Structure formats: C-alpha cells, structure tokens
Amino acid sequence: MDHSAHHTGSAHAGHENHGSDHAHDHGAHDRHGHAQHTGASWGMAAKATLHCLTGCAIGEILGMVIGTALLWGNVETMILAITLAFLFGYSFTLIAVRRAGLDFTSAVKVALAADTVSIAVMELVDNGIIALTPGAMDAHLSDGLFWGALLGGFAVAFLITTPVNKWMIGRGKGHAVVHAYH
C-alpha cells in the first residue's frame, strides 16, 4: 500500500518534517536548536487511520465471516477476527516498506511501531461495539444486524482512532515512523 498519502506536512529545503522528537537538519527548531513539535494535520491523521482501517476491516470481516459460517462460538470468532485484523493491518505496512528496500526484520519492526496502537484502539472500539450491540454476535451473515453492527463499529472506531493517530504522528510515533521510507 502506498503511504505517500500520509505526506501532507510542511516541507523545508525539499525534506518533509516528520514531527520527530529528535533534532534534524531540516524542519522547525526553536532558538536553542531543539526540534519543535509541529503536530500532524487532521487530514494526515485521517489518511493514516483509513490505511489502518482498511487492513483491520479486511481481516475482521474475513474472521467474522469464517467464524459465523463455521458456526463457531462468539469468543472463537472474535479471536479469529482480531487476529486477522492485526495480520492484515501489519501486512499492508510490511509490504510497503519492503518495497522501499527494507530487509524483512527491519520492515517488521517498522510495521509494529507504525500500526500497533492504531490497530489496538480500532479493534478495542470496534469489537466493543459489536459485543455490546444486542444480538449482533448471534446474528447470521444474512442479517442486517450483523453487517450494521460490524460497519457501525468500524465508523465509530475510525472517529475515535483518528485523534489518537494525530497525537502520535505529531510526536513522531505511529504512522510517522513509515514516512522515513518513502
């Protein structure tokens, strides 16, 4: 997946300011030479969250469909869905940074740093909504309640995770880690 959509920050001397805590030769500095937190735009945070949501949604829907189709219990289905959400979420970043030339071990570290908090918050919110929606966990694939709870959970998770990603990117964490490989 192309992470270039994440680059909406200001540029200085042809380099992006990644909002890192570390001093750089580029970007904003205070009068003492310390790197300043420039923050992340809401657009950048929304794009990072949408990237994460895409992988999570594919994994979660696949897990819910498999578990529901196989008539698994709620706990087993949710475990599969969450596992696949993390797997697909990490995979999208892993593929992108591998294309940028990182070796596998380094790419895994970048994917873990970039996506763990975002995916965890998203999964907590989404699965919490599904679990708390009366009848949603017992609904079948053909029921509107199943899809309504699942898609509604994604929408709420997006709204809650976007500010988390904005805060993290503004501090050089989360999806900001991926920016160095573009």
Side-chain angles (χ1 to χ4, degrees):
M1 171 159 253
D2 180 16
H3 290 278
S4 62
H6 297 265
H7 292 290
T8 58
S10 63
H12 180 72
H15 300 282
E16 283 82 21
N17 179 358
H18 298 291
S20 175
D21 289 339
H22 306 289
H24 295 284
D25 290 335
H26 58 277
H29 292 81
D30 65 16
R31 63 187 178 96
H32 302 289
H34 298 107
Q36 294 178 337
H37 294 290
T38 57
S41 71
W42 282 105
M44 179 187 293
K47 288 175 185 174
T49 305
L50 186 59
H51 160 83
C52 231
L53 178 64
T54 302
C56 287
I58 291 169
E60 181 126 358
I61 290 171
L62 186 60
M64 290 288 187
V65 167
I66 291 169
T68 301
L70 295 176
L71 303 175
W72 285 2
N74 293 342
V75 172
E76 294 86 359
T77 299
M78 205 170 259
I79 289 170
L80 177 62
I82 292 168
T83 300
L84 290 176
F86 272 91
L87 180 69
F88 277 88
Y90 287 139
S91 294
F92 283 6
T93 298
L94 186 66
I95 290 166
V97 295
R98 288 283 290 147
R99 275 192 208 134
L102 253 60
D103 63 274
F104 184 76
T105 302
S106 298
V108 167
K109 290 177 184 177
V110 168
L112 291 173
D115 294 333
T116 299
V117 172
S118 184
I119 295 171
V121 170
M122 201 165 293
E123 287 303 299
L124 181 67
V125 172
D126 177 49
N127 284 284
I129 289 171
I130 293 167
L132 295 174
T133 300
M137 289 300 296
D138 297 319
H140 297 282
L141 296 175
S142 59
D143 294 336
L145 179 60
F146 173 87
W147 294 103
L150 189 61
L151 298 177
F154 289 145
V156 174
F158 177 83
L159 294 174
I160 291 175
T161 307
T162 299
V164 173
N165 281 332
K166 183 180 186 308
W167 181 82
M168 289 180 57
I169 293 167
R171 281 148 188 79
K173 310 241 184 268
H175 285 267
V177 174
V178 176
H179 292 202
Y181 303 100
H182 294 284

